[in-house]
Coordinates of all heavy atoms in Angstrom, one line a residue:
Q142 N 90.8 58.0 104.0 CA 92.0 58.9 103.7 C 91.7 60.1 102.8 O 92.2 61.1 103.0 CB 93.0 57.9 103.1 CG 93.6 57.1 104.2 CD 94.6 56.1 103.5 OE1 94.2 55.4 102.4 NE2 95.8 55.9 104.0
D152 N 90.4 73.1 105.0 CA 90.8 73.9 106.2 C 91.8 74.9 105.9 O 91.8 76.0 106.4 CB 91.4 72.9 107.2 CG 90.3 72.2 108.0 OD1 89.0 72.6 107.8 OD2 90.5 71.2 108.7
E160 N 94.7 86.1 105.2 CA 95.7 86.9 104.4 C 95.1 88.3 104.1 O 95.8 89.3 104.0 CB 96.3 86.2 103.3 CG 97.5 86.9 102.8 CD 98.2 86.2 101.7 OE1 97.7 85.1 101.1 OE2 99.3 86.6 101.1
L169 N 96.8 101.6 98.0 CA 96.2 101.4 96.7 C 96.4 102.6 95.9 O 96.4 103.7 96.3 CB 94.8 100.9 96.7 CG 94.5 99.7 97.6 CD1 92.9 99.5 97.6 CD2 95.2 98.5 97.0
H172 N 95.6 107.1 95.7 CA 95.6 107.4 97.1 C 94.6 106.7 98.1 O 93.9 107.3 98.8 CB 95.4 108.9 97.4 CG 96.6 109.7 96.6 ND1 97.8 110.0 97.1 CD2 96.5 110.4 95.3 CE1 98.6 110.5 96.2 NE2 97.8 110.9 95.1
E180 N 95.9 91.0 98.1 CA 95.8 91.9 97.0 C 97.3 92.1 96.4 O 97.4 92.0 95.1 CB 95.3 93.3 97.4 CG 93.8 93.2 97.8 CD 93.4 94.5 98.5 OE1 94.3 95.1 99.1 OE2 92.2 94.8 98.5
I187 N 99.7 88.3 88.5 CA 99.3 88.8 87.2 C 100.4 89.5 86.5 O 100.6 89.3 85.3 CB 98.1 89.7 87.3 CG1 96.7 89.0 87.9 CG2 97.7 90.4 85.9 CD1 96.2 88.0 87.0
E199 N 114.8 82.3 81.0 CA 113.6 81.6 80.8 C 113.2 81.1 82.1 O 114.0 80.4 82.8 CB 113.7 80.4 79.8 CG 112.4 79.8 79.3 CD 112.6 78.7 78.2 OE1 113.6 78.9 77.5 OE2 111.6 78.0 78.1
I244 N 101.5 76.9 109.6 CA 100.5 77.3 108.7 C 100.4 76.0 107.7 O 99.3 75.5 107.5 CB 100.6 78.5 108.0 CG1 100.3 79.7 109.1 CG2 99.6 78.7 106.8 CD1 100.7 81.1 108.6
S246 N 101.5 73.1 108.0 CA 101.1 71.8 108.6 C 99.5 71.5 108.6 O 99.3 70.3 108.8 CB 101.6 71.8 110.0 OG 103.1 71.6 110.0
E295 N 107.5 109.2 101.4 CA 107.6 110.4 102.1 C 107.0 110.2 103.6 O 107.6 110.6 104.5 CB 106.7 111.4 101.4 CG 107.4 112.1 100.3 CD 106.5 113.3 99.9 OE1 105.4 113.2 99.5 OE2 107.1 114.5 100.0
Y305 N 117.2 102.1 96.9 CA 118.1 101.4 95.9 C 118.8 100.2 96.4 O 119.0 99.2 95.8 CB 119.3 102.4 95.4 CG 118.9 103.3 94.1 CD1 118.2 104.4 94.2 CD2 119.1 102.6 92.9 CE1 117.9 104.9 93.1 CE2 118.6 103.3 91.8 CZ 118.0 104.5 91.9 OH 117.6 105.1 90.7
K310 N 118.1 94.9 93.5 CA 118.0 93.5 93.4 C 117.0 93.1 92.3 O 117.0 92.0 91.9 CB 117.6 92.8 94.7 CG 118.7 92.9 95.7 CD 118.2 92.3 97.1 CE 119.3 92.4 98.1 NZ 118.8 91.9 99.5
K312 N 117.2 93.9 89.3 CA 117.9 93.6 88.0 C 118.4 92.1 88.0 O 118.7 91.6 87.0 CB 119.2 94.5 87.9 CG 120.3 94.2 88.9 CD 121.5 95.1 88.6 CE 121.2 96.6 89.0 NZ 122.5 97.3 89.0
L318 N 113.4 95.6 83.4 CA 112.4 96.2 84.4 C 113.1 97.0 85.4 O 112.6 98.1 85.7 CB 111.6 95.0 85.0 CG 110.7 94.3 84.1 CD1 110.0 93.3 84.9 CD2 109.8 95.3 83.6
F319 N 114.4 96.6 85.7 CA 115.1 97.6 86.5 C 115.5 98.9 85.9 O 115.4 100.0 86.6 CB 116.5 96.9 86.9 CG 117.3 97.9 87.8 CD1 116.9 98.1 89.1 CD2 118.4 98.5 87.3 CE1 117.6 99.0 89.9 CE2 119.0 99.4 88.2 CZ 118.7 99.6 89.5

Side-chain angles (χ1 to χ4, degrees):
Q142 288 173 313
D152 286 346
E160 192 177 4
L169 302 181
H172 301 278
E180 291 164 334
I187 294 289
E199 189 171 338
I244 291 170
S246 289
E295 283 194 294
Y305 267 89
K310 294 179 181 177
K312 70 175 72 167
L318 292 177
F319 178 72

